[in-house]
Amino acid sequence: MNLPNLKIKSKFIIFSCLLFCLYFFSNSFIYAQNNEKTDTDYLVPMGNVLQIDAELKTIIVRNEVDGCPLQVGDSVLKIDNKTISNYGEFSSILYSLPNGSNVSILVNRNGNNLNLISSKEILEKINFNNLISGFATLTYIDCDNNEFGAVGHPINIGNSRKIPIKNGAISTTTDITIQKSIKGNVGAINARREYSIGQFTTNNNYGIKGTINNLDVSNLKKYKVASLSEVKLGKAQIILQNESNVCQKYNIEIIAIENQRSPSPKTFKIKITDKDLLSRTGGIVQGMSGTPIVQGDKIIGAISHAVENDPSLGYGVFIGWMRNN
């Protein structure tokens, strides 16, 4: 055999072996990394009732007056063709106009800009402001980055969806009282604000997200984040703060699951079955939005909507949509 050819063949075999080893170990490394990420994808489900306070990027219409084209939830962008960013600017322009003036107003309604006309006198009867406050429930905390998620649906006012937030804060609560839900009327949670635990500016279809900075969760159990395919019909639990300020588990049933290939609210339908919770709340009430739902050792989502004609029924949003959108 020709010696030069033998050397060439030997080098080729060695090179091929090196490429194979490199491919094998690279893929093994990637595979190990993916496994590690999946195995450590955990959240702490919370259930604390929050007071949510926020300053909006625009001023919002809060009431309606006969003869005025403005609707609750309209976001005011301009008055008298002048751009405004806060209530002080709006008020200054409005009151500088002569009495009897017709005033042009540019508003955003359901994502559409509308040019409207109203009189100065009618506009003075409208309540405009850029502050909101209310109650909802803390869904989870991600200990890896101190991120929280809450509410499970967008904060909105009237026809205004996903209101843009300039600055928002969440606070713990105490002295909880509950107005029970009954058929045809959804009740509500009320509470007294305690202390601030985080800030947020994100307000989207699946709730609010921000940063926790004043809450120790080191002693609380972490739950693995479920994939949508892991959510099963049958028994599950919600975690919610009670009147004794303890976050407690309550039994529910998952009675329907939507096969959602892309993010969408109302991922699964739930039924409250816990007799203790039903006796105290009548079912789902306002303020329970964001209540975490767990199944076994996995967190699967959060309460997002109630069914008005049967408050024991409601909907949950998949935890993956809340985290990644």
Side-chain angles (χ1 to χ4, degrees), residues 159-205:
N159 56 46
S160 181
R161 306 286 293 176
K162 294 185 293 184
I163 303 169
I165 305 294
K166 184 176 181 180
N167 297 295
I170 60 171
S171 302
T172 59
T173 62
T174 187
D175 298 339
I176 289 176
T177 59
I178 299 173
Q179 176 192 345
K180 291 178 64 172
S181 288
I182 58 175
K183 185 175 181 179
N185 184 33
V186 178
I189 291 176
N190 286 289
R192 179 172 61 85
R193 180 185 181 279
E194 200 169 24
Y195 59 90
S196 177
I197 58 171
Q199 290 79 39
F200 70 97
T201 56
T202 299
N203 176 32
N204 61 33
N205 285 331

Side-chain angles (χ1 to χ4, degrees), residues 8-249:
I8 292 172
K9 287 182 180 180
S10 298
K11 289 180 179 179
F12 177 79
I13 292 171
I14 293 171
F15 182 71
S16 299
C17 289
L18 288 173
L19 284 178
F20 174 80
C21 290
L22 181 61
Y23 174 81
F24 176 83
F25 287 113
S26 295
N27 277 304
S28 296
F29 180 67
I30 293 169
Y31 182 76
Q33 279 188 320
N34 286 338
N35 270 348
E36 184 181 2
K37 183 177 180 180
T38 300
D39 291 343
T40 57
D41 198 9
Y42 288 85
L43 298 174
V44 178
M46 297 302 294
N48 305 70
V49 175
L50 301 174
Q51 178 169 318
I52 297 175
D53 300 288
E55 179 185 4
L56 310 180
K57 289 184 178 179
T58 58
I59 64 171
I60 300 289
V61 176
R62 303 303 295 266
N63 68 316
E64 296 180 12
V65 173
D66 289 343
C68 182
L70 296 175
Q71 297 181 5
V72 173
D74 284 350
S75 178
V76 181
L77 307 178
K78 291 183 178 182
I79 178 172
D80 195 34
N81 294 317
K82 299 178 179 67
T83 300
I84 58 170
S85 59
N86 56 59
Y87 180 76
E89 292 175 357
F90 174 86
S91 178
S92 177
I93 294 170
L94 178 63
Y95 288 102
S96 70
L97 298 173
N99 292 334
S101 298
N102 283 329
V103 184
S104 64
I105 307 175
L106 177 67
V107 302
N108 185 279
R109 179 182 298 168
N110 286 328
N112 300 311
N113 288 351
L114 303 174
N115 283 294
L116 306 175
I117 301 293
S118 186
S119 70
K120 174 183 175 180
E121 285 70 24
I122 288 180
L123 288 178
E124 289 172 344
K125 299 177 182 179
I126 299 289
N127 178 16
F128 300 92
N129 68 45
N130 63 334
L131 301 174
I132 59 171
S133 185
F135 297 102
T137 303
L138 179 59
T139 307
Y140 68 82
I141 291 176
D142 186 337
C143 296
D144 290 338
N145 54 21
N146 286 329
E147 181 182 89
F148 76 85
V151 186
H153 62 71
I155 295 175
N156 57 71
I157 299 173
N159 56 46
S160 181
R161 306 286 293 176
K162 294 185 293 184
I163 303 169
I165 305 294
K166 184 176 181 180
N167 297 295
I170 60 171
S171 302
T172 59
T173 62
T174 187
D175 298 339
I176 289 176
T177 59
I178 299 173
Q179 176 192 345
K180 291 178 64 172
S181 288
I182 58 175
K183 185 175 181 179
N185 184 33
V186 178
I189 291 176
N190 286 289
R192 179 172 61 85
R193 180 185 181 279
E194 200 169 24
Y195 59 90
S196 177
I197 58 171
Q199 290 79 39
F200 70 97
T201 56
T202 299
N203 176 32
N204 61 33
N205 285 331
Y206 311 99
I208 63 173
K209 289 197 295 187
T211 302
I212 287 286
N213 56 21
N214 192 24
L215 190 65
D216 181 12
V217 297
S218 58
N219 293 325
L220 298 181
K221 180 181 176 180
K222 295 181 180 180
Y223 283 64
K224 190 173 180 179
V225 176
S227 65
L228 188 52
S229 63
E230 291 177 310
V231 180
K232 306 299 180 186
L233 294 174
K235 294 181 180 180
Q237 294 175 309
I238 60 173
I239 302 173
L240 181 66
Q241 180 180 341
N242 61 24
E243 291 89 336
S244 300
N245 298 321
V246 176
C247 291
Q248 181 176 334
K249 285 184 176 178

